Amino acid sequence: MDDLDQELLSALRHNARTPVSSLAAMTGASRATVAARIDRLVASGTIAAFTIRTGHETRAAGVRAIVMIEVLGKLADRVADQLRGLPQVRALHSTNGKWDFVAELEDRDLVSFDETLRRIRLVNGINSTETSILLKTRKSGF
């Protein structure tokens, strides 16, 4: 992947609907070159999809949080399987250091969120958790 590919990826992350002609003008490459590069990035799997992200204002009011999770012993796979089964867990990341997982949660209100946290804490193999409620998103995306 060279500088042109990086520029195209950056522009498409910002707006996946940017026309090839505009991408060509931004990068100084020809339209044919830009189209061929995008086709190659798709074929190689570097670009997996063209999509949209809705703004937080389009979501129903709710509670979003990050939960840091410490797992006992060798139970990480079992814990991960159980956490992936919870619809409130929007993403689950394994990490290094004190915390074994970082879970991104979204729930409809504080009462439901409290119940979700209770269910997470009861998962066999979870030793401890630390939760931070997300108040305002200042930047989203890559």
Side-chain angles (χ1 to χ4, degrees), residues 49-60:
F50 295 88
T51 187
I52 63 166
R53 282 189 320 255
T54 58
H56 297 293
E57 66 278 356
T58 62
R59 293 182 182 172

Side-chain angles (χ1 to χ4, degrees), residues 25-121:
M26 280 185 242
T27 62
S30 72
R31 288 172 49 127
T33 298
V34 168
R37 290 293 186 102
I38 291 171
D39 289 344
R40 191 184 81 217
L41 291 168
V42 170
S44 71
T46 301
I47 295 176
F50 295 88
T51 187
I52 63 166
R53 282 189 320 255
T54 58
H56 297 293
E57 66 278 356
T58 62
R59 293 182 182 172
V63 179
R64 296 178 310 124
I66 301 295
V67 181
M68 310 295 275
I69 301 166
E70 181 185 20
V71 177
L72 291 170
K74 298 179 181 181
L75 298 174
D77 290 340
R78 283 178 82 194
V79 168
D81 287 343
Q82 290 186 42
L83 293 175
R84 282 194 300 261
L86 296 174
Q88 297 85 353
V89 176
R90 299 294 183 200
L92 183 64
H93 312 277
S94 59
T95 65
N96 65 332
K98 177 182 178 182
W99 304 108
D100 299 296
F101 292 110
V102 174
E104 298 177 36
L105 270 59
E106 188 169 346
D107 219 323
R108 66 181 175 271
D109 55 40
L110 284 173
V111 172
S112 296
F113 180 73
D114 184 50
E115 176 59 22
T116 298
L117 281 180
R118 187 188 71 74
R119 289 175 58 198
I120 288 172
R121 291 178 180 135

Side-chain angles (χ1 to χ4, degrees), residues 7-22:
E7 283 184 73
L8 292 171
L9 288 173
S10 177
L12 291 170
R13 277 187 191 112
H14 180 70
N15 181 359
R17 294 184 60 184
T18 304
V20 171
S21 58
S22 297

